[in-house]
Amino acid sequence: MTEPFLIGDAMIGGYGGADILHSCTISVEKGEIAVIVGPNGAGKSTAMKAVFGMLPLREGAVRLGGKDITDLKPQDRVPEGMAFVPQTQNVFTGMTVKENLEMGAYLRDSGVEETMEQVFGLFPILAEKQNQMAGELSGGQRQQVAVGRALMTKPTVLMLDEPTAGVSPIVMDELFDRILEIRKTGIAILMVEQNARQALNIADKGFVLVQGENRYTDTGAALLANPDVRRSFLGG
């Protein structure tokens, strides 16, 4: 059995002397959406940050395409194909939309305009507002800028930490539609999401974490249909 394209395997770690993750395993394949859900304080964002190298592991490993990247710093994982969109402070508010996108291409020396056109095709509002300061945009539009900038790195893995936090239900649906479009390009998408029911609805795979441990791992559809998951984590 071949290993998943990206895997955080049996991760143990935390901040200071306290472990938050307890042998937690998260994985995603190319062209797949994997979501991490669970109650507040379950370690969802911590697991995501551990996979991206923002949290040192005491035990466990992170592998990308079969390569052990456990000891790589976050900035060194970007050239390997990983892009991370944090929940907050994820745009340069004093720069225009276009300048924000160009910042995402700082490692590239060719094909930048082509990728930017692809981002504009995915998020037409960004083309319309490309010369506007990102700080003047709505929360949903800023989130599109943040995702667009991540896509400018031409990643193989796109990691999204609470992409729909603080946006309206309509904007949330639009963002999820765009995430589905991104999946069609073959990118692996790993996402932490508070809106568990909606996230599992678009997920190929879901990980339900409780206190830093894997409680349930299955397809999104199977988790939605699981009565225990529905009762405990989805409000019935």
Side-chain angles (χ1 to χ4, degrees), residues 33-54:
I33 298 172
V35 301
I36 308 170
V37 299
N40 288 334
K44 302 184 297 293
S45 291
T46 302
M48 171 84 84
K49 289 172 181 174
V51 171
F52 193 58
M54 297 168 72

Side-chain angles (χ1 to χ4, degrees), residues 142-157:
R142 287 192 194 195
Q143 203 65 3
Q144 292 181 41
V145 173
V147 174
R149 191 179 70 235
L151 291 174
M152 289 296 294
T153 68
K154 294 289 282 185
T156 54
V157 178

Side-chain angles (χ1 to χ4, degrees), residues 14-20 58:
Y15 304 99
D19 288 334
I20 296 174
R58 203 162 55 75

Side-chain angles (χ1 to χ4, degrees), residues 4 6-11 23-29 32-39 42-45 47-48 51 189-194 196 199-200 203-210 212-224 229 233-234:
L6 171 67
I7 184 167
D9 191 12
M11 298 182 294
S23 202
C24 174
T25 295
I26 303 293
S27 66
V28 63
E29 299 284 6
E32 180 179 83
I33 298 172
V35 301
I36 308 170
V37 299
K44 302 184 297 293
S45 291
M48 171 84 84
V51 171
I189 300 169
L190 181 61
M191 181 168 68
V192 169
E193 187 50 68
Q194 274 294 107
L200 289 172
D204 298 287
K205 182 192 298 178
F207 299 89
V208 181
L209 300 190
V210 177
E213 295 180 340
N214 294 87
R215 180 65 58 89
Y216 299 95
T217 300
D218 213 326
T219 65
L223 290 172
L224 283 171
V229 172
F233 307 103
L234 305 178

Side-chain angles (χ1 to χ4, degrees), residues 51-73:
V51 171
F52 193 58
M54 297 168 72
L55 175 80
L57 295 177
R58 203 162 55 75
E59 291 183 32
V62 180
R63 293 183 292 276
L64 177 65
K67 178 180 178 180
D68 192 322
I69 60 170
T70 310
D71 295 328
L72 288 186
K73 292 181 169 59

Side-chain angles (χ1 to χ4, degrees), residues 160-226:
L160 306 171
D161 191 5
E162 302 276 10
T164 68
V167 303
S168 69
I170 292 175
V171 173
M172 179 180 70
D173 288 343
E174 288 178 357
L175 278 169
F176 280 169
D177 284 345
R178 298 291 80 77
I179 290 167
L180 285 167
E181 288 294 315
I182 295 167
R183 177 181 65 177
K184 291 178 184 175
T185 67
I187 293 175
I189 300 169
L190 181 61
M191 181 168 68
V192 169
E193 187 50 68
Q194 274 294 107
N195 297 295
R197 188 183 295 275
Q198 293 90 333
L200 289 172
N201 204 39
I202 67 166
D204 298 287
K205 182 192 298 178
F207 299 89
V208 181
L209 300 190
V210 177
Q211 296 182 330
E213 295 180 340
N214 294 87
R215 180 65 58 89
Y216 299 95
T217 300
D218 213 326
T219 65
L223 290 172
L224 283 171
N226 184 316

